[in-house]
Amino acid sequence: VQLQASGGGLVQAGGSLRLSCAPSGLSFSDYGLGWFRQAARSEREFVAAVTWSGGSTYYAEPVKGRFTVSRDNAKSTAYLQMNNLKPEDTAVYFCAAGRLAVKDASVYDYWGQGTLVTVSS
């Protein structure tokens, strides 16, 4: 199983980025997808999650109203649309697949390599 997150980059504060996660080697529609991030010298933290059907989504408080998580099961791809980015959003972003779409990172079975998001002030 491989998960590849992509779409990171350098953006100015107030800008937008869309991250993508395209797992392979698993039945995509059977899994919830979570997004996590880890800033330098910080612990990994939950960002957002979407259930297997896309019917329910969950967000961490700092990103509510700015980030939108979604998925396209036909394309086996999940997305994290990030708007109104702030310097404190700077981190490596990871996607993860698990049977549940929850905040607890330990629940997720598979993790991808991260993609770096840098927000300049």
Side-chain angles (χ1 to χ4, degrees), residues 86-121:
K86 304 176 180 181
E88 52 264 42
D89 294 319
T90 295
V92 177
Y93 284 71
F94 302 87
C95 62
R99 293 297 183 178
L100 299 174
V102 295
K103 299 179 181 180
D104 184 355
S106 67
V107 171
Y108 292 86
D109 301 307
Y110 306 105
W111 291 81
Q113 293 186 340
T115 185
L116 177 62
V117 172
T118 304
V119 184
S120 63
S121 58

Side-chain angles (χ1 to χ4, degrees), residues 1-56:
V1 175
Q2 290 187 330
L3 284 77
Q4 181 62 54
S6 61
L10 174 63
V11 64
Q12 289 187 329
S16 298
L17 283 174
R18 188 177 78 159
L19 306 184
S20 298
C21 177
S24 60
L26 55 76
S27 180
F28 182 77
S29 60
D30 288 344
Y31 286 82
L33 269 292
W35 288 95
F36 293 79
R37 67 186 181 186
Q38 187 167 17
R41 298 175 298 279
S42 297
E43 294 186 353
R44 181 175 52 191
E45 63 177 3
F46 170 76
V47 175
V50 58
T51 55
W52 66 272
S53 67
S56 295

